[in-house]
Amino acid sequence: MNSLEWVSFPPLGDDRGSLVAIEAGKTVPFEIKRVYYIFGTQEGVARGFHAHRNLKQVAVCVIGHCEMTLDNGSVRSMARLDSPTKGLVIGDLVWREMHNFSEDCVLLVLASEHYDEGDYIRDYAEFLAAVADSQPSV
Ligand code: T46
């Protein structure tokens, strides 16, 4: 993961304000099966620290800001999410950590699969082993 992948949500604004429409298969590159949002994160709290075997997501900070570190097992990249018109794409087998939530942060997440606790990898060594297993041997 040398560069982070983003999707744009162009604001459909007029003189009353702004509106963003998110459409599965159009603005988001997968069928959306689940939507959740994270808010009220306490100061100094970090979240995440896991990966998923089979889950694609787009995260968009609709209010406030936070930081997300994405790690594919060989490269770690840090993203600042601070715009309701920019979504960060998080693919399969990516370790994520979330930090520095502003008090007002509302992080909306669009997910390709229903919630499945069995899909989580919460141990970093296990994550690295899963990445190694997924790569074709040369
Ligand atoms: C991710 C990052 C960005 C559910 O019951 N259903 C759900 O759809 C989700 C997402 C969570 N939960 C339960 C499981 C836990 O008891 O809600 C509680 C908090 O979830 P978790 O500790 O996994 O939250 P984060 O912020 O560490 O991670 C979440 C997502 O779980 C994860 O998939 O990619 O946000």
Side-chain angles (χ1 to χ4, degrees), residues 34 36 38 47-48 50 52 57 96 98 115 120 122:
R34 178 167 53 109
Y36 61 92
I38 296 169
R47 306 186 63 120
H50 60 256
H52 290 274
Q57 299 191 114
R96 80 284 326 262
M98 296 175 278
Y115 177 67
Y120 284 69
R122 296 189 182 276

Side-chain angles (χ1 to χ4, degrees), residues 44-120:
V45 166
R47 306 186 63 120
F49 298 88
H50 60 256
H52 290 274
R53 293 179 190 279
N54 175 38
L55 183 67
K56 294 165 186 49
Q57 299 191 114
V58 170
V60 53
C61 198
V62 293
I63 301 173
H65 56 86
C66 65
E67 292 169 0
M68 198 176 288
T69 297
L70 299 184
D71 175 344
N72 67 1
S74 50
V75 177
R76 282 171 81 85
S77 306
M78 202 276 280
R80 179 178 164 93
L81 288 86
D82 59 5
S83 168
T85 65
K86 275 178 67 182
L88 180 64
V89 178
I90 311 168
D92 302 323
L93 278 184
V94 172
W95 184 266
R96 80 284 326 262
E97 300 172 5
M98 296 175 278
H99 301 271
N100 295 329
F101 287 82
S102 61
E103 196 181 327
D104 59 348
C105 181
V106 179
L107 183 66
L108 177 76
V109 185
L110 313 168
S112 66
E113 305 298 331
H114 293 137
Y115 177 67
D116 174 11
E117 178 58 37
D119 187 61
Y120 284 69

Side-chain angles (χ1 to χ4, degrees), residues 3-4 9 16 20 28 31 35 38 40 43 46-47 63 65 70-71 84 93 125:
S3 58
L4 296 162
F9 301 122
R16 296 169 299 169
V20 165
V28 172
E31 185 195 345
V35 175
I38 296 169
E43 191 181 348
R47 306 186 63 120
I63 301 173
H65 56 86
L70 299 184
D71 175 344
L93 278 184

Side-chain angles (χ1 to χ4, degrees), residues 19-35:
L19 181 155
V20 165
I22 298 177
E23 296 195 47
K26 289 189 178 175
T27 39
V28 172
F30 50 77
E31 185 195 345
I32 299 166
K33 290 195 181 159
R34 178 167 53 109
V35 175

